[in-house]
């Protein structure tokens, strides 16, 4: 059901924006649009007298779905929406470069883990979701929340899980040891597959790390991340020792890259692979099920959640209109299901997610996402990646002693954080 921005709220926000102007890119608007439940009315959202116009950056995957919502918006409000097609990899650097100069779009698609850099540079504004906030998966809102404010309209969630070849294994048990034993009993070439490669993969191995109680950063009670590293100490060392043990046993291997892992699973050479929905297109003809990730360290195995959404330009002169488009047209079941059909990622809107969860594959990934945590979008996360994966790879290969290497990694990450002033 669509909620409309009331005329009173629109007038209040318009006056606020006029007073604030765009002299301070990082300054949020001080008045939010009010929302009213329009369950008993199908009246379209009131538009500014001149209709207004918006520029939205999209990539090829999302273009058609956003265009459908934009067409409805234009018909009902008299506004115009120009979609600018961009390579997804170019969006973040171009947005960072253009917004401070007064250029760039009013809205852009993007990933939640851009948030730390975008807010640090003052190029995005908070988005007032009003009552609509309660209609999203909480993890999606958490992912776009920084310093207590929501900076993105979520539309898709993705996470990894155990993808199981049902012809080789009947189930995925609760513990790592049981899963590896069942994999060995299957007689397949590999009891389990996960990409590591020579540079490691901290993202994919993360649920195994969290099962040892060693999160990358400590979280507050509300789920937001602090800047305090959590992957050090005794629990971190235990995880490092686990990597060394499984590396020596051949269960984890730096010779297994993404491409090798995917091809081997597609060829029926393993009952289990740890991966995401982006792999499924390579597994046509394989009967698969999606299962929770078993714990290796005794605590819950929590993968990262990645969330896609829309950001609002902090210098946009059309923030009211842009908010109307996001809240009333992109945060609908139709729009979010269309984005799901285009990109294959679970919708962030609960009603849309429930609609597509009749597919057991979608339902499986969604069930795992309930135990997932947002990938940290804080600026400090940028200091983690260059040390994390390579250290894990060195421990797995046996070229690094686990405790010493892990402790040095933690020291190096902290040093990089301190040096960057994050």
């Amino acid at each position: 059901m669509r909620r409309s921005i009331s005329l009173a709220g629109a007038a209040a926000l318009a006056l606020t924006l006029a007073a604030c102007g765009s002299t301070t890119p990082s300054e949020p608007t001080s008045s939010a649009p009010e929302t009213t439940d329009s369950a008993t009315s199908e009246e379209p959202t009131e538009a500014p007298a001149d209709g207004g116009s918006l520029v939205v950056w999209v990539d090829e995957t999302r273009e058609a779905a956003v265009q459908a919502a934009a067409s409805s918006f234009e018909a009902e409000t008299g506004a115009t929406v120009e979609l600018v097609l961009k390579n997804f990899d170019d969006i973040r650097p171009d947005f960072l470069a253009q917004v401070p100069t007064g250029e760039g779009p009013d809205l852009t698609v993007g990933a939640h883990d851009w948030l730390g850099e975008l807010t640090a540079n003052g190029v995005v504004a908070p988005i007032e979701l009003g009552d609509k906030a309660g209609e999203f998966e909480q993890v999606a809102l958490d992912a776009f929340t920084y310093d207590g404010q929501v900076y993105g309209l979520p539309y898709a969630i993705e996470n990894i899980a155990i993808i199981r070849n049902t012809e080789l294994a009947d189930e995925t048990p609760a513990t790592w040891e049981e899963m590896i034993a069942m994999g060995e009993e299957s007689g397949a070439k590999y009891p389990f597959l996960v990409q590591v490669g020579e540079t490691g993969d901290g993202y994919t191995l993360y649920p195994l790390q969290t099962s040892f109680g060693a999160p990358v950063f400590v979280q507050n009670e509300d789920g937001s991340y602090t800047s305090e590293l959590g992957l050090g100490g005794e629990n971190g060392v235990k995880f490092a020792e686990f990597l060394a043990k499984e590396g020596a046993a051949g269960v984890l291997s730096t010779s297994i890259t993404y491409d090798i892992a995917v091809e081997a699973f597609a060829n029926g050479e393993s009952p289990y692979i740890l991966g995401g929905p982006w792999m499924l297109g390579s597994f046509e003809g394989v009967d698969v099920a999606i299962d929770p990730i078993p714990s290796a360290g005794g605590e819950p195995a929590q993968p990262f959640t990645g969330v896609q959404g829309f950001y609002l330009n902090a210098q946009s002169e059309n923030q009211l209109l842009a908010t109307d488009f996001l809240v009333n047209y992109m945060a609908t079941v139709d729009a979010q299901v269309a984005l799901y059909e285009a990109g294959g990622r679970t919708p962030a809107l609960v009603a849309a997610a429930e609609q597509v969860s009749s597919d057991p594959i979608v339902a499986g990934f969604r069930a795992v996402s309930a135990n997932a945590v947002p990938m940290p979008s804080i600026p400090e996360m940028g200091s983690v990646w260059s040390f994390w994966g390579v250290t894990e790879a060195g421990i797995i290969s046996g070229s690094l002693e686990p405790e010493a290497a892990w402790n040095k990694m933690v020291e190096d990450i902290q040093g990089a954080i301190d040096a960057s002033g994050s």
Side-chain angles (χ1 to χ4, degrees), residues 128-154:
E128 294 293 343
L129 298 179
D131 293 342
K132 200 70 165 184
E135 299 179 22
F136 286 93
E137 300 282 7
Q138 187 61 46
V139 70
L141 291 179
D142 290 346
F144 276 108
T145 299
Y146 182 75
D147 200 21
Q149 294 181 297
V150 178
Y151 281 86
L153 188 285

Side-chain angles (χ1 to χ4, degrees), residues 228-245:
E228 179 185 353
L229 289 173
L231 74 175
E234 181 180 356
N235 290 343
V237 170
K238 287 180 179 179
F239 173 62
E241 292 171 344
F242 162 80
L243 294 178
K245 177 174 69 71

Side-chain angles (χ1 to χ4, degrees), residues 21-22 24-27 95 99 105-106 122-125 312-316 319:
S22 59
T24 307
S26 61
E27 182 176 275
F95 193 79
V99 170
D106 298 287
V123 297
V124 289
L312 173 61
N313 183 337
Q315 291 201 25
S316 169
Q319 290 191 11

Side-chain angles (χ1 to χ4, degrees), residues 202-336:
Y203 170 88
T204 306
L205 294 178
Y206 191 62
L208 303 179
Q209 181 176 318
T210 58
S211 77
F212 283 86
V216 64
F217 286 103
V218 175
Q219 290 178 270
N220 293 311
E221 290 185 4
D222 64 0
S224 61
Y225 285 97
T226 71
S227 59
E228 179 185 353
L229 289 173
L231 74 175
E234 181 180 356
N235 290 343
V237 170
K238 287 180 179 179
F239 173 62
E241 292 171 344
F242 162 80
L243 294 178
K245 177 174 69 71
E246 297 303 312
V251 175
L252 301 178
S253 173
T254 56
S255 67
I256 301 296
T257 63
Y258 176 89
D259 290 341
I260 290 173
V262 168
E263 182 178 4
F265 187 84
N267 291 336
E269 296 177 358
S270 178
Y272 304 109
I273 187 171
L274 181 57
W278 49 86
M279 292 179 172
L280 296 176
S282 299
F283 300 153
E284 293 184 10
V286 180
D287 188 8
V288 301
I290 309 302
D291 296 329
I293 303 166
S295 174
E299 296 189 27
Q302 297 180 289
F304 280 136
T305 294
V307 184
Q308 302 283 331
F310 295 88
Y311 286 106
L312 173 61
N313 183 337
Q315 291 201 25
S316 169
E317 296 179 355
N318 306 300
Q319 290 191 11
L320 172 61
L321 193 65
T323 299
D324 182 12
F325 176 62
L326 290 182
V327 174
N328 296 326
Y329 293 84
M330 295 311 304
T332 65
V333 171
D334 286 348
Q336 298 231 338

Side-chain angles (χ1 to χ4, degrees), residues 11-98:
L13 183 56
L15 289 172
T16 301
L17 292 175
C20 293
S22 59
T23 57
T24 307
S26 61
E27 182 176 275
T29 58
S30 58
S31 178
E34 297 175 6
T35 58
T36 58
D37 195 333
S38 60
T40 58
S41 173
E42 292 300 322
E43 293 296 320
T45 301
E46 295 290 343
D50 62 357
S53 62
L54 295 174
V55 175
V56 183
W57 282 359
V58 295
D59 64 341
E60 184 176 9
T61 299
R62 298 154 183 82
E63 183 181 21
V66 177
Q67 182 60 65
S71 296
S72 296
F73 180 67
E74 290 175 329
E76 295 182 16
T77 67
T80 60
V81 180
E82 177 188 356
L83 300 190
V84 177
L85 189 62
K86 302 276 289 184
N87 184 308
F88 191 79
D89 291 338
D90 295 334
I91 290 177
R92 174 165 49 170
D94 288 357
F95 193 79
L96 285 164
Q98 293 187 30

